[in-house]
Amino acid sequence: MNISSILIFLFYGLFTAYMLYKILMFLNNDEDELAIRSPQDNIEPLPQINNEQTHQKNSSKVQKDRVLNLSLFSRPIKEVQVDESLEKIKPKQIQKKTNKIVKKLEKDLFD
Amino acid sequence: MKDNFQIDKAIMAFKSKRFEECRQAYESALTKEYSKEAWTGLSIVKLHLMSENQTAKDVKYSLDKTVQLYPKHKNELLDELLLNAKYLIFKYVDLIAQLNVKIEEDEKKQAWAAAATLVSAAAGVSSSTSKWSTRFNLATGAGLGYTMKKFSDVDDAKVVQIGILYLLKDTGNIVEEFTLDHKLSDKNHVKKFLKEVKENILSFSEMEESYNLSLEK
């Protein structure tokens, strides 16, 4: 084996190693890009950013509304009682009854 | 009674539910000359204006004055009072029920808006129902006759409901006091009327307690 063949072997060895390195780098970059474009990354962070911006922009009134909205999910006992009583009132049934009487009395009074 | 245009004007206004104009016309008629018709009319129109600018004391004073001036007329006045009070009480019951429907709708809208985390939409729901006068106009078709001025600045529909419940109670109390003071409470139709009022008040008592709200009388 002469020197020239050793040099050629080394050259091809280095070239192959370089090419393998490039291929691996390319594959790594591709995976990163795919990860950025995944729907999980695109959808999840946006509402968080929007919410933060909205909170900063909104006045105290909106903050009050938010508190009210939250209270709908964590209702104290008294608020539950409100709902129970509203069911007992049955507004549509009351309206059916009162509408007839009001109309009749309205005729007596204002016609 | 001599011809008095102000009385005719008051009757016209009453029939068209322009109660404030009606009150002014009766007062003009009384400034000129006292009459049974004008005092009766004034008492009744004040009862209709309790949701606007009149108090139960105004109504009571006017009713007592009418009986004091025209004692023979008290049965006729009682019939007028019962008819008008009955109309108002059912009107108030109807309004309380309408407000219940509205409150439930608003709460549902707000719950949906909150669930979807649409903060701006939630603000929209709130602002669309922030004024009682707007809600009332929607509920009664331009609020003809009763603009409920006493509650025009109230934001919370539940407070307005309790306010109307107090109006209902006041109306019942006026009739009860009037019949007791002038010894008319033994009449069957008076008893029946007062029983009806108490039943209506009782049907809303749970709502009043559960709201845990207080309103100055």
Side-chain angles (χ1 to χ4, degrees):
Chain A
M1 193 181 276
N2 54 25
I3 296 166
S4 60
S5 56
I6 291 167
L7 283 170
I8 289 164
F9 179 76
L10 273 172
F11 176 75
Y12 277 108
L14 284 168
F15 181 75
T16 312
Y18 177 72
M19 287 307 290
L20 275 168
Y21 169 74
K22 288 298 281 182
I23 289 164
L24 280 171
M25 283 299 289
F26 177 74
L27 285 172
N28 271 340
N29 284 343
D30 231 340
E31 274 171 19
D32 285 344
E33 272 186 30
L34 279 170
I36 289 161
R37 285 174 192 171
S38 75
Q40 284 174 345
D41 278 2
N42 268 344
I43 293 166
E44 278 182 354
L46 283 172
Q48 285 168 7
I49 292 160
N50 281 346
N51 277 343
E52 277 169 19
Q53 283 170 349
T54 318
H55 292 318
Q56 282 163 5
K57 280 178 191 171
N58 279 331
S59 64
S60 58
K61 188 186 176 299
V62 175
Q63 282 170 1
K64 190 182 153 197
D65 289 331
R66 285 193 72 236
V67 173
L68 289 173
N69 288 336
L70 286 173
S71 73
L72 286 171
F73 292 104
S74 55
R75 285 166 182 240
I77 294 163
K78 269 182 185 168
E79 287 199 22
V80 176
Q81 282 174 349
V82 169
D83 277 357
E84 281 172 4
S85 72
L86 289 179
E87 274 179 18
K88 279 174 194 166
I89 290 170
K90 290 173 186 165
K92 279 176 187 168
Q93 280 182 13
I94 289 174
Q95 278 183 290
K96 262 188 187 176
K97 188 185 153 195
T98 52
N99 270 342
K100 276 185 189 174
I101 300 166
V102 167
K103 273 180 189 168
K104 192 191 167 291
L105 289 168
E106 219 158 57
K107 266 192 171 181
D108 293 345
L109 286 172
F110 303 113
D111 278 359
Chain B
M1 186 192 72
K2 285 178 193 171
D3 287 343
N4 189 339
F5 169 68
Q6 290 299 331
I7 298 222
D8 285 326
K9 189 183 170 187
I11 292 167
M12 276 191 282
F14 185 83
K15 298 270 180 199
S16 304
K17 295 184 184 175
R18 296 192 306 273
F19 299 119
E20 189 51 40
E21 186 188 320
C22 174
R23 183 183 67 84
Q24 284 168 8
Y26 276 131
E27 282 176 356
S28 299
L30 286 168
T31 313
K32 241 183 181 181
E33 181 192 26
Y34 273 19
S35 71
K36 184 175 73 180
E37 289 78 10
W39 270 111
T40 306
L42 184 69
S43 307
I44 297 301
V45 80
K46 276 176 180 278
L47 186 75
H48 283 268
L49 284 169
M50 282 220 304
S51 58
E52 312 296 306
N53 55 7
Q54 297 295 307
T55 64
K57 282 180 184 173
D58 290 322
V59 183
K60 186 75 179 35
Y61 181 89
S62 189
L63 284 167
D64 288 344
K65 185 76 184 174
T66 312
V67 176
Q68 188 196 323
L69 290 167
Y70 312 99
K72 286 181 187 171
H73 174 62
K74 71 176 179 185
N75 282 317
E76 221 177 300
L77 177 63
L78 173 70
D79 290 343
E80 279 286 317
L81 176 66
L82 287 181
L83 184 64
N84 284 275
K86 191 175 180 181
Y87 167 75
L88 282 171
I89 281 166
F90 279 99
K91 189 94 185 158
Y92 296 147
V93 170
D94 192 52
L95 276 174
I96 292 171
Q98 281 186 44
L99 274 170
N100 257 356
V101 175
K102 195 86 184 86
I103 288 166
E104 280 181 346
E105 280 174 10
D106 288 350
E107 280 184 348
K108 273 181 196 167
K109 277 181 194 172
Q110 282 182 346
W112 275 110
T117 64
L118 294 170
V119 178
S120 57
V125 167
S126 174
S127 63
S128 70
T129 59
S130 61
K131 285 288 169 204
W132 151 246
S133 52
T134 315
R135 286 193 301 270
F136 183 76
N137 285 346
L138 284 172
T140 58
L144 189 68
Y146 306 90
T147 54
M148 299 279 165
K149 276 182 189 163
K150 278 186 181 170
F151 311 114
S152 58
D153 295 329
V154 179
D155 287 342
D156 192 341
K158 286 173 189 171
V159 177
V160 178
Q161 262 192 330
I162 299 295
I164 294 173
L165 183 60
Y166 284 146
L167 277 177
L168 196 159
K169 283 180 181 178
D170 276 351
T171 309
N173 285 338
I174 286 167
V175 175
E176 193 169 30
E177 276 185 39
F178 177 78
T179 53
L180 283 170
D181 290 353
H182 301 290
K183 292 170 187 162
L184 296 162
S185 55
D186 287 340
K187 290 178 182 286
N188 279 335
H189 65 306
V190 174
K191 284 181 186 170
K192 196 184 161 196
F193 172 84
L194 291 173
K195 196 184 158 203
E196 243 177 16
V197 175
K198 275 172 191 162
E199 279 170 5
N200 275 311
I201 291 170
L202 277 174
S203 70
F204 292 122
S205 61
E206 279 183 48
M207 174 193 85
E208 191 185 359
E209 283 165 20
S210 64
Y211 279 5
N212 197 25
L213 293 166
S214 60
L215 197 81
E216 279 180 37
K217 253 188 165 181

